[in-house]
Amino acid sequence: MALQSDPIDGFYVVIPAGGIGSRLWPLSRADAPKFLHDLTGSGSSLLRDTWDRMAPLAGEQRVMVVTGRAHRAAVEEQLPLLADANVVLESEPRESSAAIGLAAAILERREPGVVIGSFAADHVIKGARFFRQSVTEAVAAARAGYIATIGIRPTEPAVGFGYICAPQPVAIDGAPTAHIVQSFVEKPDLATAESYVTSGDYMWNAGMFISKASVLLEALGKTQPELLAGINELADAWDTPRRGVVVDKVWPRLVKIAIDYSVAEPAAAAGKLVVIPGEFDWDDVGDFASIAKLHSTGYKNDLAILGADARVLADASSGIVVSEGGRTIAVIGVKDIVIVDTPDALLVTTIANAQKVKSVVDALRLAGRDDVL
Amino acid sequence: MALQSDPIDGFYVVIPAGGIGSRLWPLSRADAPKFLHDLTGSGSSLLRDTWDRMAPLAGEQRVMVVTGRAHRAAVEEQLPLLADANVVLESEPRESSAAIGLAAAILERREPGVVIGSFAADHVIKGARFFRQSVTEAVAAARAGYIATIGIRPTEPAVGFGYICAPQPVAIDGAPTAHIVQSFVEKPDLATAESYVTSGDYMWNAGMFISKASVLLEALGKTQPELLAGINELADAWDTPRRGVVVDKVWPRLVKIAIDYSVAEPAAAAGKLVVIPGEFDWDDVGDFASIAKLHSTGYKNDLAILGADARVLADASSGIVVSEGGRTIAVIGVKDIVIVDTPDALLVTTIANAQKVKSVVDALRLAGRDDVL
């Protein structure tokens, strides 16, 4: 009998480590993306936390990371046990369908029939036992031929997340809590989000997808046949001396599309997608409001302070201060403030405006200020 | 007949350049005090603006600056025409009675009967013609034996300034607008300030004092005989080779007291103090709220930006950003904000809390953080 701490048989983890996290500028940058930061105060990066969470579920030799060439050194430093063969480098960002699809195609060739699960490198999860239980059910559903996702039971009417509508349970061996996904819905307004929470039929979309590699690739081929052809060409060459040549030729031409659109939504429409309701705490730490909440002690007028060398002098203030650079920071009488202090850029906004930070990044890009992006 | 642009006969200007300006931390520091900053956007420091305003009234050879030893080089760089003999260096700060008293005693010895006027190095004045008119009247009152001050007609019920109560005019040759000062009153609350503005009998105390040097010293001797004795000992030695020895011995023992308490208030109580109502714009630029107002274009939701190399990206924000250090600063959705960004320290507060900045400096001093003071 398998122990609770044993790896799940025949399971492989794929971690796409790509997104910069524009809403976390100026902390997250092209050369220091969100997944390389410690945003939880755990003492390690989100990527390392993800490894520590996932490696026991699949085994240390069965975790693949897909990341940009520029991040190779940082990723390998963070994950010393990551196998060389399991580092998939993107010559340029091509979105999640290409990243996860290529990982699936490589792994299917190495181990036909393998079940893979893709998990973001920059999310926060608390509750290891419940998480393992959800992944175990999702793998069982994948073995039964489904594409499975793990949804999060909403604890509040969040407007920053997409939702999964899944009112109907479905009978799958080893996945007793699985529900058929009826549809994915985009970030709602507050009233809609409230109705979702009340109804009980909706879960947060945490972007976790678990399926046989072959099933994922088949689904991808139905909506994106050219993308699949490119991925197969890459995978055929991957573990051969031709890899470099084929990558240079094929990778830059792959269509950029999120796997939500190429695989998940069409599979849901075809009744092939199930969701396992996750009973653990999850957050995508998508903006500074989310980070402030993570660090809240629950007190009103609380000021969260991040940064190993933070020197913050605060009076009658609340919100969050992120200090990277060791400067003395004095904060007086500002409520729900967001202050992010880095050596070359400073952000001052409010919790309520946290989602607007992306617009700053867009404006800086338009202005040619790539030096601070 | 004297031209409007001629120096005022027999008049000498004293500029005490001492205060750090704690409410302007982290811009103002011990090694970069308020008077060395360009807070108006004029392109020159407040000290230089003060020189440019005062030198024509007395003559370039008749301006004396009293400042700390540490600021000598900066002061001389700012004021290349300042005569060597007119730089009075304090070995340590001893407040305004010592600084102005010593200047008076030195000048009285050099030029018996001289009229001196002391004017802060870090205030802002607009309206040169009206200012000259006030100074001219004040000098006339000084020649008549009074100690004269120049009050500012309040344009609003400011709670950050002291007030001068002077309901009664007094007949003095050459000073037709002079009023006898009945009393000085400390910073009032808003209701009291409003009653002052309504009454018409009150003016802002701008800390300008004009009198014969001998009259000032006599008044000082009445309340602070030991201080006067020390000042006379210093002045006797000043233009001799003994200066250094005597300064080392006497200066550190001088009592610290503002000239308002040692001279102005007692002189007012004795009916010896007159005020000339100033019809020019004046501000002590005492805090960041004051600076924001100086730079306001009059539009609501205006964000004032100071700093030669400021790179500020602002959206839906108002208040003031002071940028010293060239970092990119993004400001989103913050109202009436005060952001002061320097290479080693950052302040974030609001216009309404501007006066509280001093408490940060006090806290940093208590914490032994002199490196950022």
Side-chain angles (χ1 to χ4, degrees):
Chain A
M1 183 184 154
L3 292 173
Q4 261 294 324
S5 55
D6 280 346
I8 300 166
D9 199 37
F11 179 51
Y12 224 102
V13 165
V14 175
I15 302 175
I20 290 171
S22 294
R23 288 180 187 82
L24 296 179
W25 182 90
L27 188 62
S28 284
R29 307 284 187 101
D31 60 356
K34 182 183 160 198
F35 60 82
L36 292 177
H37 289 274
D38 169 17
L39 300 182
T40 66
S42 72
S44 50
S45 68
L46 293 177
L47 174 64
R48 177 57 195 244
D49 287 343
T50 302
W51 169 276
D52 290 344
R53 180 165 59 243
M54 301 313 309
L57 299 186
E60 283 163 352
Q61 296 300 310
R62 298 175 68 83
V63 179
M64 177 171 272
V65 175
V66 188
T67 193
R69 278 183 186 165
H71 305 310
R72 176 180 199 160
V75 166
E76 291 181 345
E77 190 195 329
Q78 290 289 310
L79 312 179
L81 296 178
L82 177 64
D84 284 350
N86 282 343
V87 181
V88 174
L89 296 178
E90 306 167 302
S91 54
E92 55 180 272
R94 297 314 287 174
E95 285 273 9
S96 56
S97 297
I100 298 168
L102 176 57
I106 293 169
L107 292 172
E108 174 65 19
R109 278 158 182 74
R110 291 184 188 168
E111 183 175 317
V114 67
V115 171
I116 67 165
S118 63
F119 301 87
D122 54 7
H123 291 180
V124 169
I125 285 172
K126 286 177 191 164
R129 203 166 62 85
F130 286 112
F131 179 64
R132 168 182 275 268
Q133 181 57 36
S134 295
V135 175
T136 304
E137 286 201 40
V139 171
R143 289 215 182 88
Y146 290 98
I147 297 174
T149 187
I150 298 173
I152 314 297
R153 286 208 191 279
T155 51
E156 57 176 341
V159 296
F161 301 143
Y163 286 69
I164 299 167
C165 177
Q168 296 297 332
V170 57
I172 303 174
D173 261 3
T177 69
H179 283 59
I180 281 282
V181 173
Q182 191 175 90
S183 61
F184 288 85
V185 289
E186 300 282 337
K187 297 176 183 180
D189 60 27
L190 185 61
T192 308
E194 281 167 348
S195 73
Y196 289 170
V197 175
T198 309
S199 89
D201 292 336
Y202 289 80
M203 280 165 271
W204 290 334
N205 178 9
M208 306 174 192
F209 295 106
I210 300 96
S211 71
K212 286 184 187 167
S214 59
V215 168
L216 181 97
L217 293 166
E218 188 190 338
L220 181 62
K222 282 187 182 149
T223 63
Q224 297 287 337
E226 284 189 32
L227 176 56
L228 180 63
I231 283 171
N232 279 329
E233 193 177 346
L234 284 161
D236 285 338
W238 199 261
D239 291 328
T240 79
R242 294 183 298 118
R243 183 201 291 184
V245 175
V246 177
V247 165
D248 289 347
K249 189 188 79 171
V250 176
W251 184 262
R253 299 204 311 253
L254 296 183
V255 67
K256 284 181 167 184
I257 182 170
I259 199 158
D260 304 73
Y261 306 129
S262 67
V263 171
E265 291 185 5
K272 297 280 182 62
L273 204 127
V274 297
V275 59
I276 310 297
E279 305 292 343
F280 48 86
D281 285 342
W282 167 87
D283 201 299
D284 74 346
V285 254
D287 62 25
F288 288 111
S290 164
I291 297 179
K293 212 174 72 185
L294 269 184
H295 289 263
S296 167
T297 59
Y299 288 101
K300 216 180 158 179
N301 293 329
D302 197 32
L303 186 72
I305 297 173
L306 265 80
D309 302 317
R311 294 171 163 195
V312 178
L313 204 74
D315 177 40
S317 297
S318 63
I320 181 168
V321 176
V322 183
S323 169
E324 298 237 317
R327 297 195 310 158
T328 296
I329 303 176
V331 187
I332 310 172
V334 282
K335 304 295 184 188
D336 293 327
I337 199 83
V338 173
I339 299 170
V340 185
D341 184 48
T342 75
D344 63 349
L346 166 68
L347 168 72
V348 179
T349 185
T350 64
I351 295 284
N353 283 287
Q355 287 275 321
K356 286 193 196 159
V357 173
K358 192 175 182 303
S359 68
V360 171
V361 173
D362 295 340
L364 287 168
R365 187 169 291 121
L366 273 175
R369 292 298 315 283
D370 293 75
D371 56 312
V372 290
L373 291 178
Chain B
M1 185 187 153
L3 293 173
Q4 262 293 327
S5 55
D6 281 344
I8 300 166
D9 198 37
F11 179 51
Y12 225 102
V13 164
V14 174
I15 301 175
I20 290 171
S22 294
R23 288 180 186 82
L24 296 179
W25 182 91
L27 188 62
S28 284
R29 308 283 188 100
D31 62 355
K34 182 185 160 195
F35 60 82
L36 291 177
H37 289 275
D38 170 16
L39 300 181
T40 66
S42 72
S44 50
S45 67
L46 293 178
L47 174 64
R48 177 57 194 245
D49 287 343
T50 302
W51 169 277
D52 290 344
R53 180 166 58 244
M54 300 314 308
L57 298 187
E60 283 163 353
Q61 296 301 311
R62 299 175 67 82
V63 178
M64 177 171 272
V65 175
V66 187
T67 193
R69 277 183 186 165
H71 305 310
R72 178 183 196 155
V75 166
E76 290 180 347
E77 191 195 330
Q78 291 288 310
L79 311 180
L81 296 178
L82 177 63
D84 285 350
N86 282 343
V87 181
V88 174
L89 297 177
E90 305 167 303
S91 53
E92 55 179 273
R94 298 314 287 172
E95 285 274 8
S96 56
S97 297
I100 298 168
L102 176 58
I106 293 169
L107 292 172
E108 175 65 18
R109 277 157 181 76
R110 291 183 188 169
E111 184 174 317
V114 68
V115 171
I116 67 165
S118 64
F119 300 86
D122 55 8
H123 291 178
V124 169
I125 285 171
K126 286 177 190 162
R129 204 166 61 85
F130 287 111
F131 178 65
R132 167 181 275 267
Q133 181 56 36
S134 297
V135 175
T136 304
E137 286 201 41
V139 171
R143 289 213 183 92
Y146 290 98
I147 297 175
T149 186
I150 298 172
I152 314 296
R153 284 206 190 281
T155 52
E156 57 177 340
V159 296
F161 301 142
Y163 285 70
I164 299 168
C165 177
Q168 296 298 331
V170 57
I172 302 173
D173 262 4
T177 70
H179 282 59
I180 282 282
V181 174
Q182 189 174 91
S183 60
F184 288 85
V185 288
E186 300 282 336
K187 296 176 182 179
D189 60 26
L190 185 61
T192 308
E194 281 168 348
S195 73
Y196 289 170
V197 175
T198 308
S199 89
D201 292 337
Y202 289 80
M203 281 165 269
W204 290 333
N205 178 9
M208 306 173 191
F209 296 106
I210 300 94
S211 70
K212 287 184 186 168
S214 59
V215 168
L216 181 98
L217 293 166
E218 188 190 337
L220 180 62
K222 282 185 182 152
T223 64
Q224 297 287 337
E226 283 188 33
L227 176 56
L228 179 64
I231 284 171
N232 279 329
E233 193 177 345
L234 284 161
D236 285 339
W238 199 261
D239 291 327
T240 78
R242 293 183 299 118
R243 182 200 293 182
V245 176
V246 177
V247 165
D248 290 348
K249 189 189 79 170
V250 176
W251 184 262
R253 299 203 312 253
L254 296 184
V255 67
K256 285 181 167 184
I257 182 170
I259 199 159
D260 304 72
Y261 307 129
S262 66
V263 171
E265 291 184 6
K272 297 283 182 61
L273 204 128
V274 297
V275 59
I276 310 297
E279 305 292 343
F280 48 87
D281 286 342
W282 167 88
D283 201 299
D284 73 347
V285 257
D287 61 25
F288 288 112
S290 165
I291 297 179
K293 213 174 72 183
L294 269 183
H295 289 264
S296 168
T297 59
Y299 288 101
K300 220 183 155 175
N301 293 330
D302 195 35
L303 186 73
I305 296 173
L306 266 79
D309 302 318
R311 297 171 161 194
V312 178
L313 205 74
D315 178 40
S317 297
S318 63
I320 182 168
V321 177
V322 183
S323 169
E324 297 237 316
R327 298 195 311 160
T328 296
I329 303 177
V331 187
I332 310 173
V334 281
K335 304 296 185 189
D336 292 327
I337 199 83
V338 172
I339 299 171
V340 184
D341 184 48
T342 75
D344 62 349
L346 167 68
L347 168 73
V348 179
T349 185
T350 64
I351 296 283
N353 284 286
Q355 286 275 320
K356 287 193 196 158
V357 172
K358 192 175 182 303
S359 69
V360 170
V361 172
D362 295 340
L364 287 168
R365 187 169 292 122
L366 273 175
R369 293 295 316 282
D370 294 75
D371 56 311
V372 290
L373 291 179

